[in-house]
Amino acid sequence: MNITLCTLFERNYHFGVAALANSLIAAGYTGELWVGYRGALPGWIVDSPAFDRVTGRLQAAPGLVLCMLELDTPLHFTYYKPTFIREMLEKHAPQSDVVAYIDPDIVVKCDWPALTGWFTEDGISLAEDVNWCFPARHPKRLLWARFFEPHGATPRRGLDRYYNAGFIAVSRAHLEFLDLWRRLCDLVVAYNEHAKELKAGGSAALFHSTDQDALNFALTVCEAPLNTAGPEAMDFAPGGYYLSHAVGSVKPWHGGHIRQALRGMPPSAASKWYYHFANAPIKAYSDGELAKRQLSLKIAAAIGRVYKRA
């Protein structure tokens, strides 16, 4: 089975791309990581002697090549995921049986052979979200069904779990699912008046988690087999060993760990895993800057052991 990996970033999320790539190298993955981007590329890419400006390829390690793709879309990247995955399957990696999209605020904790057990040629691979319990007849699901019905999208199955859109692997057999997800995203964008943010309105809003809500409704409309793991697979619950996902607007590379800890918010497991992979073999920081950040993280973790918001 041929598996291709991809991600999307803009602005300072390049720090996350570096950590993701380093985690894949540590996991033993060999192949390409396709990186769609908007804006300027960071110095750790363009100043690397291994970067080919003509092809946009960076030989990050003997077994891993980063393939940079400049994108021209007005959409928030969270809505662009289904289009990007489909472009991988049809244009950039036509040899692939499965394309896995991974957000740049995720790192891989397990070895590559363990992760490949998640992928199949007949299914869609997903992990449950922070708030994963979402019954099939939850009030919001009923409202979604009423909203999408006039647009020809009717649920064919009930699901009791809510899945995170930061990691999704889609096999070539389910290209139509990507079209469905993209179409539902377009409807959500229109409903939210061309939303520019990841979240829209409060938790009670019809579409608060935007593309992720569209994804979860699309999963009830299609009948593809779902290869799923629980919330622990992204470190949203204890006991996971696959991925670590730094959710929220404040990312590990934003720093301020001590300040956050003094507010009762100590470093998350995902922040700790981020720094585990932040700077080797790809170096996104100077050694001095990384040492300062790691010291800040340790102090913040110590504060968190004695003071935590209730």
Side-chain angles (χ1 to χ4, degrees), residues 88-197:
M88 287 295 114
L89 287 163
E90 291 192 316
K91 181 180 179 181
H92 303 299
Q95 76 288 354
S96 298
D97 302 303
V98 175
V99 168
Y101 171 85
I102 308 175
D103 268 348
D105 54 1
I106 292 175
V107 295
V108 176
K109 299 196 297 183
C110 64
D111 61 33
W112 179 245
L115 197 64
T116 57
W118 211 336
F119 307 133
T120 63
E121 293 183 30
D122 68 341
I124 298 171
S125 305
L126 301 149
E128 293 175 12
D129 195 35
V130 177
N131 299 309
W132 59 89
C133 183
F134 200 49
R137 294 188 63 81
H138 187 282
K140 190 169 280 193
R141 286 196 191 273
L142 299 179
L143 288 170
W144 289 350
R146 292 171 200 162
F147 175 84
F148 287 118
E149 184 179 16
H151 302 284
T154 304
R156 299 179 185 177
R157 62 178 168 188
L159 296 174
D160 291 317
R161 292 292 184 266
Y162 185 87
Y163 298 100
N164 188 279
F167 166 84
I168 180 170
V170 181
S171 65
R172 184 172 297 279
H174 298 296
L175 287 172
E176 77 287 349
F177 168 77
L178 296 169
D179 294 333
L180 171 65
W181 183 16
R182 178 193 53 76
R183 185 165 66 88
L184 298 189
C185 279
D186 289 345
L187 292 169
V188 171
V189 169
Y191 175 83
N192 284 330
E193 299 181 348
H194 309 285
K196 297 291 186 182
E197 303 298 330

